[in-house]
């Protein structure tokens, strides 16, 4: 039963945890559908025009599964400027209970010129890029981090210090030709295993054949 969502412009979901691709896709229809079927217990379902948006908050980098092709999610980072400023938030919640303040805010937003607004023009931010990166398979994330390193390519490419374990490996075998390098897959796989063990201790290790496939 979902009748509690009837006629809402915003459906707010607080403090969610990581959701996989299958769970995330269940929300996609809300971003594109024109109508929704709402049902109340013991009553006939009704179809209404769908205008709602889903707002979610989370302390995680990737609360929803997100890919490079995704166009339904907008990701924003909350400013930490007022973090733990309880005095500020106490006053803010007091304003929420003030009907005159809320009416002034409503009038301001209702009269705001949005003729040039385009929801696809998101503010500059790396938040969504970080979310996409966090959803990559561990092998993809490793390659992304490894070859994007400022030290690449250097003669001594990977001096990884992972907690108490240090991995110091010459991955770059030799310069193969101009601007091209031959990589030793066994050494690269060794670095990957230690990187995955440190960053994702609960992940299942993969074989070198799958890693280099």
């Amino acid at each position: 039963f979902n009748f509690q969502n009837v006629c809402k412009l915003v459906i707010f979901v607080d403090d969610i945890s990581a959701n996989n691709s299958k769970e995330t896709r269940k929300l996609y229809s809300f971003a594109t559908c024109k109508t929704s079927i709402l049902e109340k217990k013991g009553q006939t379902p009704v179809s209404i025009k769908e205008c709602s948006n889903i707002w979610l908050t989370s302390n995680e980098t990737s609360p929803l599964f997100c890919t490079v092709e995704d166009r339904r999610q907008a990701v924003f980072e909350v400013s930490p400027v007022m973090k733990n400023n309880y005095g500020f938030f106490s006053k803010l919640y007091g304003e929420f209970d003030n009907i005159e303040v809320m009416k002034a805010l409503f009038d301001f937003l209702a009269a705001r010129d949005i003729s040039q607004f385009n929801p696809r023009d998101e503010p500059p931010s790396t938040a969504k890029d970080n979310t996409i990166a966090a959803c990559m398979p561990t092998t993809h994330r490793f390659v992304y981090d490894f070859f994007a390193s400022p030290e690449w390519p250097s003669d001594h490419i990977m001096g990884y210090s992972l907690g108490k374990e240090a991995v110091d490996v010459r991955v770059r075998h030799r310069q193969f030709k101009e601007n091209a390098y031959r990589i030793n897959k066994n050494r690269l796989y060794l670095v990957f295993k230690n990187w995955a063990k440190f960053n994702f201790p609960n992940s299942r290790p993969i074989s070198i054949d799958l890693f280099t496939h």
Side-chain angles (χ1 to χ4, degrees):
F1 305 108
N2 59 351
F3 201 78
Q4 67 273 14
N5 295 331
V6 64
C7 298
K8 288 188 176 181
L9 292 178
V10 174
I11 299 174
F12 184 75
V13 185
D14 186 32
D15 198 19
I16 69 170
S17 299
N19 288 269
N20 58 32
S21 175
K22 183 178 180 180
E23 292 170 333
T24 299
R25 291 195 66 84
K26 293 178 181 179
L27 301 176
Y28 280 3
S29 61
F30 283 100
T32 55
C33 65
K34 302 298 183 181
T35 60
S36 289
I37 303 296
L38 299 179
E39 183 177 1
K40 192 173 184 180
K41 185 176 181 179
Q43 297 187 14
T44 303
V46 295
S47 176
I48 67 168
K49 184 178 179 181
E50 180 57 70
C51 300
S52 63
N53 290 275
I54 303 178
W55 293 10
L56 309 104
T57 62
S58 177
N59 291 321
E60 300 187 14
T61 304
S62 55
L64 296 179
F65 187 84
C66 188
T67 66
V68 175
E69 295 79 15
D70 184 273
R71 57 183 178 81
R72 295 177 174 87
Q73 297 184 43
V75 183
F76 305 97
E77 290 181 300
V78 177
S79 171
V81 172
M82 294 297 178
K83 186 177 181 180
N84 296 328
N85 189 334
Y86 301 113
F88 168 81
F89 285 106
S90 294
K91 293 180 180 179
L92 178 63
Y93 275 96
E95 299 288 273
F96 290 162
D97 293 330
N98 188 320
I99 189 65
E100 293 184 358
V101 173
M102 292 295 96
K103 177 61 166 61
L105 178 60
F106 175 84
D107 290 341
F108 168 77
L109 294 176
R112 191 174 179 85
D113 181 14
I114 59 173
S115 59
Q116 303 301 316
F117 173 73
N118 187 334
R120 295 185 181 275
D121 295 334
E122 299 179 17
S125 172
T126 60
K128 189 168 184 177
D129 292 339
N130 294 336
T131 297
I132 293 171
C135 293
M136 291 180 180
T138 54
T139 50
H140 292 58
R141 294 184 64 180
F142 168 72
V143 171
Y144 174 82
D145 291 341
F146 182 83
F147 290 103
S149 168
E151 291 78 25
W152 172 264
S154 66
D155 289 335
H156 206 67
I157 180 62
M158 189 53 68
Y160 254 35
S161 179
L162 305 177
K164 296 181 179 179
E165 297 186 33
V167 181
D168 197 5
V169 185
R170 284 178 66 92
V171 175
R172 196 188 84 177
H173 183 60
R174 63 182 176 85
Q175 188 161 341
F176 186 57
K177 54 185 177 180
E178 185 178 1
N179 296 323
Y181 298 90
R182 177 173 291 170
I183 305 299
N184 185 302
K185 71 176 184 179
N186 293 316
R187 292 173 182 169
L188 185 64
Y189 178 64
L190 173 62
V191 175
F192 164 72
K193 285 203 305 181
N194 283 273
W195 175 89
K197 181 180 179 181
F198 179 77
N199 291 284
F200 304 96
N202 296 323
S203 64
R204 180 181 299 177
I206 66 172
S207 67
I208 188 173
D209 293 332
L210 183 59
F211 176 73
T212 58
H213 179 68

